[in-house]
Amino acid sequence: MDRLVDAALEEVRAAGYDGLTVRNVARRAGVAPATAYTYFASKDHLVAEVFWRRVAALPEPKVNGRRGAAARAAGALREIATILADEPELAAAATTAILANDPDVHRLRARMGAAVLHRLGATLSPDASPAAIQALALAFSGAMLQAGMGFLDYRDIGDRMAEVADVVLGRA
């Protein structure tokens, strides 16, 4: 499975989302296509897994009491956005893949949402209510979608989220 995920990232870098196939990833990983399909039902599932593993590998957010709540929230979310800023081919593929109507992708999307909520909760407690954390998570998902559509640069998401956090947390 790890070889397939690594090969998928290489393949998306080389061929982009449109050129990516599970068969090509299997070939690159040195496994039979049937083996690849045992683990991944679709290319969307495979790309979503690549992105999820990148998110899951992020270090736990550090709570720095000298920084304000908005800066802490922005920092925790900036790390996720930076994954895609640093990998434009993955960003383009992940934008499409994570919106797929596929039960396996749905599970990964739920994990990603939980990871965002966890990162925000870990950096903001006790400075923010659960409703404020949820509002910031919703704003972040909207920012990520806007970046995926080309209306916002992934590298700007942290700064935009700091502004949103100021508003949501009542500091602006």
Side-chain angles (χ1 to χ4, degrees):
M1 191 170 182
D2 291 340
R3 285 191 354 231
L4 287 165
V5 169
D6 292 343
L9 183 56
E10 292 174 23
E11 189 69 19
V12 82
R13 286 174 180 155
Y17 177 79
D18 291 335
L20 179 82
T21 67
V22 175
R23 287 185 172 283
N24 288 345
V25 170
R27 186 177 312 113
R28 189 179 285 268
V31 301
T35 301
Y37 280 109
T38 299
Y39 294 106
F40 301 104
S42 66
K43 76 178 187 178
D44 291 323
H45 180 199
L46 185 52
V47 170
E49 179 73 25
V50 171
F51 182 45
W52 162 244
R53 286 182 178 215
R54 292 301 200 62
V55 171
L58 288 172
E60 276 292 309
K62 294 183 176 122
V63 178
N64 180 342
R66 295 181 305 235
R67 294 174 67 202
R72 292 193 318 265
L77 298 174
R78 181 179 279 115
E79 291 177 333
I80 296 172
T82 299
I83 292 169
L84 297 177
D86 290 345
E87 293 276 358
E89 297 87 2
L90 177 59
T95 297
T96 300
I98 64 172
L99 297 174
N101 187 20
D102 172 320
D104 294 311
V105 173
H106 177 77
R107 284 188 284 282
L108 290 168
R109 206 171 36 236
R111 285 183 188 169
M112 288 181 227
V116 167
L117 289 172
H118 169 75
R119 294 180 76 75
L120 286 167
T123 59
L124 291 177
S125 282
D127 291 332
S129 69
I133 290 170
Q134 185 66 41
L136 289 170
L138 288 169
F140 179 66
S141 63
M144 292 289 282
L145 184 58
Q146 286 213 345
M149 293 186 303
F151 299 133
L152 179 66
D153 190 295
Y154 285 104
R155 295 204 188 282
D156 294 334
I157 288 177
D159 294 338
R160 299 295 74 77
M161 288 307 304
E163 294 167 356
V164 171
D166 275 337
V167 171
V168 169
L169 299 172
R171 290 160 178 76

